[in-house]
Amino acid sequence: MEEWVGYKWHEYITRQALGEFPEHAVYLKDEARSLGIVFRAFGGDPALSLVTAEPRHFRLRRRFLHKIAGTHRKFELAWRDEQNLRLPEKVAKFPSKRLNRELYIWLAALAANPAPADSDWFTGNQALVQDVIARWPGLERVYQRLVKQVLRRRPDPEGLSAEEAVREQAIRQALIHPGSVAALPAAGTDPWPVILWLYPALEQGKANGPVTGDEDTQSSPGGLTKKNKRHQAERVEAFDRDQGLMIFRLESLFSWTEFIPVDRAGDDTKEEDAEAVADDMDMISVSNDRKETSSSIKFDLDLPSEEHDDLRLGPGIHLPEWDWRSQSYREAFCCVQPMLAKNAEPAELPEALRRPAKRLQRQFSALKPLKQWHKRQLDGDELDLDACLEREVQNRRGQGAIDQKLFRRCQQSQRDLACLVLADVSLSTETYINNQQRVIDIARDGLQLLSEALQASRDPFALFAFSSRRRDYVRFHHLKGFDETYTSTIRGRIQALEPGFYTRMGAAIRQATKLLGARHEQQKVLLLLTDGKPNDLDLYEGRYGIEDTRMAVQEAIKAGLTPFCVTIDDEASEYLPYVFGSHNYVVIRDPAQLPLQLPKLYLNLTQ
C-alpha cells in the first residue's frame, strides 16, 4: 500500500511539475514516416536518418515544485549533425494534438534548411526562421500559432532576476519578430530552452581512455531508429564490491546515478530493465573489471584457419571506395577475395521445394527461346513452298511483276537479358524468424527456387554471395558463373552457405558490376538480397556505408545495369529510397515468403 501511494504521489507531482498534456501527446515513432517525407520535401538531405534526441542538461533557476519532482534538469531538443536529424521522442507541450504535430513539422522544416554560416545559436536560429518563412510562406501561420503557445509556457520575466529578465525579454522578442535582436544578453544561468529552435550538435564526451564497442541500434515498434543515444561517461579502474554495510549513498535514494556493473562484452546480464536504467542515468562508468565473467568463454569474429576455410580464387581484387566526407574515392582501398566452397557436396533439391519448383518451371518455360519461321525472304534456310507455288501461278498467267522472295528463315525469339544475383550472408543472417527458420536458410531456399525458374527460362544468370571483415577482406563467394550449367554441384554450393561476418555492400556491388558489365546482353539485372544496412568494423557504419553503397549503385546504373534490392529489413524504407531509388527496391514483410516471392519479383522486373 505504501509503495502504491508513493507511486501515485510521484506520478501526480511529476505531472504537475512538467506542465504537459499527456492525453494530447504525439510520438515520434508514429510520425516518423510522414516527417521523413516532409523533411525531404522541404529540401532536407535524404541521407540523414530520423532518430530520437537524447536529453541535454541545463543549469536553470528551477521552481520549488520542479525541485521536488526532480524535473527540468534535462530536455530533449531538436538538432542535426552530418548523419542524423534528432527530434524529441514525444511532444506533449500543447493542449492539442494538432499543435504538437505542427511542432514536429516546423522542426523538420527548420532542419531541412542549411544553417547560416558564421552565426551563433541565437542569431542563427532567427535567420533560419526568416529563411524558412520566406521560402515557405504557408508555414508562417503555423509558426505564429506555436509562438503564441510557447510564450504562455515560458518563465515570466517579472519573476526572474534583472539579468535573466533582460535575457528572457530578448528571447521573446526574437521569437515574435525573428531577426530583430542582434545578440543574447548574458546571465548567470542557462536560458530556458526554446523548443522552436534547433540546438548545436552534442559532442561526444571523451573518457580517460578509449572505450570500444558496437554502436547500439534498435528498432522501435513504429520503425523509428533509436541509436547513438549518448551519455556522460567516466572510466574507473574497477568497482569495489567490498563497501561494507553502507552499499549506497542515502542522498542518491531517488536517483539512478549509481554504479551498475553492466558487462558490455557479454550477453549474460540478468538485468531485464538495464536499458531503462541506463536511459535515466546521468553518468555511466566503464571499467575493465572482468571478475564476474572471468569464467565465461568469449568468442570474437575471427577468421577461420586455412584448412577449415573455403578455397581462395586468386590473390584478391582491389577496388576503390567512396568517402563522402572528402567527396572523393579511396583508390584500391578494398580487397575483394573470390571464394569457392571447399566441402560442398553435390545435392538434390530439398523435398519441400520440389512442388513449388515444378510450378515455377512450368511458368518460366514459357519464356524460353522459341523457333519462329519468317516467310517470303530474299534468302534463308530453305525454300518457301507457298511463295514458290504463287510465283509459278503468276508466271503462267503472264503477270508482269513476279515476287522474288522465295525463301523462309528460322530465327530464335529470345529475351536479351542477363541477371546476377548477389546475396548478403553476413552474421545477421544467423537470426531466427519466429524461432523456426534462420534467415540464411530462407535465403538458400530463395536462391534455389529462383535458379530452378531461370534454368527453365534459359535466361543467363550467375549467383554470388558476400560478407566482409574490414576493408581488406571482403569475401565474395562464387556459387554459379554465367558459363556454368545449374546442376547438383551448384545446389551443393548454395546449401553450403553459412553466415559470415559483416556487410561491406559497396565493394560487393562494384565487383558484381564488373562481372555483369562484361556481358553482351542488352538488359542486365543486378538483384541484391539483403537483411539490413551496410556495416563493417572499420568506420563502415551509418552514413559512410550508406553513401558508399549509393555511389556503387550509381556506378552500376552508369554501366547500363538495372540494380534492384530485395530486403526483409523493416527499417529499409528509411535508407533504401536514397540508396536505390524509390522504385528499385522492395521490402518483404514476411521473410518466410521470400523464396516464393523472389521469382515473381524477377518476372515483374524483366517482363
Side-chain angles (χ1 to χ4, degrees):
M1 185 64 179
E2 291 179 359
E3 182 179 353
W4 180 83
V5 172
Y7 174 78
K8 290 299 181 182
W9 170 253
H10 172 73
E11 187 181 49
Y12 172 77
I13 289 295
T14 302
R15 178 169 180 174
Q16 294 298 318
L18 287 175
E20 294 184 343
F21 303 89
E23 65 275 12
H24 300 293
V26 177
Y27 293 88
L28 184 57
K29 65 181 181 180
D30 300 325
E31 305 294 327
R33 186 177 299 276
S34 59
L35 283 176
I37 297 173
V38 169
F39 175 70
R40 290 161 179 81
F42 282 126
D45 189 344
L48 295 185
S49 299
L50 183 61
V51 299
T52 54
E54 61 268 27
R56 59 176 74 200
H57 287 263
F58 282 80
R59 295 183 299 107
L60 303 175
R61 189 181 300 278
R62 298 187 296 161
R63 300 174 184 171
F64 179 69
L65 186 60
H66 299 162
K67 295 178 181 179
I68 293 179
T71 61
H72 293 77
R73 294 182 303 168
K74 298 186 295 183
F75 295 84
E76 290 185 0
L77 300 167
W79 56 282
R80 57 169 289 180
D81 55 19
E82 293 180 340
Q83 300 196 37
N84 303 296
L85 166 59
R86 299 176 183 269
L87 298 177
E89 190 169 6
K90 75 170 182 177
V91 174
K93 302 292 184 183
F94 310 128
S96 164
K97 282 193 173 183
R98 176 191 174 187
L99 287 170
N100 290 323
R101 187 173 290 109
E102 285 181 345
L103 177 57
Y104 270 138
I105 296 174
W106 170 255
L107 292 174
L110 208 64
N113 290 265
D118 302 328
S119 61
D120 58 15
W121 166 79
F122 185 69
T123 58
N125 271 291
Q126 293 183 74
L128 199 56
V129 171
Q130 289 180 303
D131 183 55
V132 170
I133 292 177
R135 294 181 61 188
W136 313 101
L139 288 176
E140 185 173 5
R141 291 185 179 180
V142 175
Y143 177 71
Q144 294 299 334
R145 283 196 296 267
L146 294 174
V147 168
K148 184 178 179 181
Q149 293 292 332
V150 166
L151 293 180
R152 292 177 179 176
R153 288 159 180 80
R154 291 193 63 80
D156 187 354
E158 294 182 0
L160 302 176
S161 65
E163 290 183 344
E164 294 174 348
V166 172
R167 184 182 61 188
E168 179 61 25
Q169 289 288 8
I171 293 177
R172 287 171 171 263
Q173 178 69 17
L175 285 171
I176 298 172
H177 302 290
S180 61
V181 185
L184 181 67
T189 60
D190 293 332
W192 201 266
V194 184
I195 61 175
L196 296 183
W197 289 353
L198 298 180
Y199 276 73
L202 285 176
E203 295 183 1
Q204 189 167 1
K206 296 181 180 179
N208 296 333
V211 181
T212 61
D214 299 336
E215 205 173 82
D216 293 336
T217 301
Q218 74 179 71
S219 303
S220 64
L224 178 68
T225 303
K226 293 181 65 177
K227 65 180 182 180
N228 300 339
K229 200 158 188 177
R230 298 193 286 264
H231 301 263
Q232 290 183 335
E234 63 177 356
R235 180 178 289 281
V236 297
E237 293 299 325
F239 176 53
D240 185 10
R241 295 174 175 82
D242 299 326
Q243 301 184 46
L245 295 177
M246 197 66 175
I247 61 174
F248 66 93
R249 299 191 307 273
L250 190 60
E251 63 268 20
S252 300
L253 187 61
F254 297 102
S255 173
W256 284 110
T257 312
E258 293 290 344
F259 191 103
I260 299 178
V262 181
D263 183 13
R264 187 64 180 84
D267 293 327
D268 49 4
T269 177
K270 302 299 182 182
E271 295 287 343
E272 296 181 358
D273 58 346
E275 181 183 2
V277 173
D279 285 342
D280 290 334
M281 291 177 68
D282 294 328
M283 180 75 70
I284 296 180
S285 300
V286 182
S287 75
N288 291 323
D289 184 11
R290 314 300 302 145
K291 295 179 182 179
E292 290 290 330
T293 55
S294 58
S295 60
S296 302
I297 300 176
K298 305 296 179 184
F299 294 95
D300 189 14
L301 289 179
D302 207 352
L303 300 177
S305 61
E306 283 288 339
E307 58 181 306
H308 295 97
D309 199 6
D310 293 335
L311 296 174
R312 300 192 180 193
L313 305 178
I317 304 167
H318 288 86
L319 297 174
E321 186 168 273
W322 176 255
D323 186 351
W324 69 275
R325 296 167 299 188
S326 63
Q327 291 293 299
S328 61
Y329 283 99
R330 294 181 172 185
E331 297 298 334
F333 191 70
C334 297
C335 181
V336 174
Q337 178 60 62
M339 311 287 292
L340 185 66
K342 178 189 294 185
N343 299 321
E345 298 290 339
E348 296 301 322
L349 195 65
E351 183 67 30
L353 300 180
R354 292 181 181 177
R355 178 174 293 180
K358 289 182 179 179
R359 185 171 63 251
L360 289 171
Q361 287 170 352
R362 289 194 299 269
Q363 183 178 1
F364 275 70
S365 62
L367 304 176
K368 66 183 179 181
L370 298 176
K371 290 184 178 181
Q372 290 186 348
W373 288 97
H374 297 269
K375 298 182 177 182
R376 300 184 182 277
Q377 304 294 314
L378 289 175
D379 57 66
D381 300 324
E382 59 185 46
L383 288 172
D384 186 347
L385 296 182
D386 292 338
C388 292
L389 182 59
E390 185 175 345
R391 176 184 176 179
E392 184 63 23
V393 171
Q394 292 175 350
N395 188 28
R396 292 190 178 186
R397 288 181 177 178
Q399 296 179 354
I402 299 178
D403 191 0
Q404 301 296 325
K405 299 178 180 179
L406 304 178
F407 296 89
R408 67 174 186 167
R409 183 186 304 116
C410 181
Q411 292 183 344
Q412 295 278 354
S413 61
Q414 59 183 1
R415 302 182 343 142
D416 191 21
L417 66 88
C419 177
L420 188 147
V421 184
L422 183 62
D424 169 15
V425 291
S426 57
L427 191 65
S428 58
T429 57
E430 181 74 28
T431 307
Y432 277 82
I433 302 297
N434 299 326
N435 295 323
Q436 295 178 350
Q437 200 173 16
R438 296 183 303 170
V439 173
I440 187 67
D441 300 327
I442 296 173
R444 289 198 205 108
D445 292 348
L447 290 175
Q448 291 183 95
L449 282 182
L450 181 60
S451 299
E452 296 288 338
L454 294 182
Q455 184 71 10
S457 69
R458 298 185 185 177
D459 288 343
F461 70 100
L463 305 175
F464 294 90
F466 75 98
S467 66
S468 64
R469 190 178 186 274
R470 296 187 174 90
R471 65 182 180 88
D472 55 350
Y473 194 59
V474 181
R475 297 164 65 90
F476 199 76
H477 299 270
H478 179 99
L479 304 177
K480 177 190 177 300
F482 285 106
D483 55 348
E484 293 181 271
T485 305
Y486 182 69
T487 62
S488 58
T489 302
I490 308 301
R491 296 192 194 96
R493 294 175 188 170
I494 296 174
Q495 295 177 18
L497 281 176
E498 288 295 336
F501 302 97
Y502 299 94
T503 317
R504 207 174 199 96
M505 201 173 289
I509 291 177
R510 288 187 177 92
Q511 177 61 15
T513 299
K514 288 178 60 178
L515 296 175
L516 188 55
R519 298 292 300 180
H520 64 274
E521 284 80 6
Q522 183 176 2
Q523 185 180 5
K524 304 169 187 177
V525 178
L526 174 56
L527 191 59
L528 174 67
L529 309 182
T530 183
D531 67 334
K533 287 184 178 180
N535 69 91
D536 208 333
L537 291 173
D538 51 350
L539 300 180
Y540 203 83
E541 287 282 355
R543 186 169 181 179
Y544 185 97
I546 289 177
E547 290 285 357
D548 177 61
T549 304
R550 180 176 183 269
M551 185 58 68
V553 171
Q554 295 297 318
E555 295 167 14
I557 295 175
K558 291 179 182 178
L561 277 59
T562 304
F564 193 88
C565 180
V566 180
T567 182
I568 61 173
D569 184 11
D570 291 334
E571 299 178 1
S573 57
E574 296 181 7
Y575 60 92
L576 280 187
Y578 178 70
V579 176
F580 283 87
S582 57
H583 301 293
N584 293 330
Y585 78 96
V586 66
V587 180
I588 305 296
R589 300 298 179 185
D590 183 5
Q593 296 297 316
L594 175 65
L596 296 177
Q597 293 296 325
L598 200 55
K600 297 179 182 178
L601 290 171
Y602 177 83
L603 276 180
N604 295 334
L605 189 62
T606 58
Q607 279 185 343

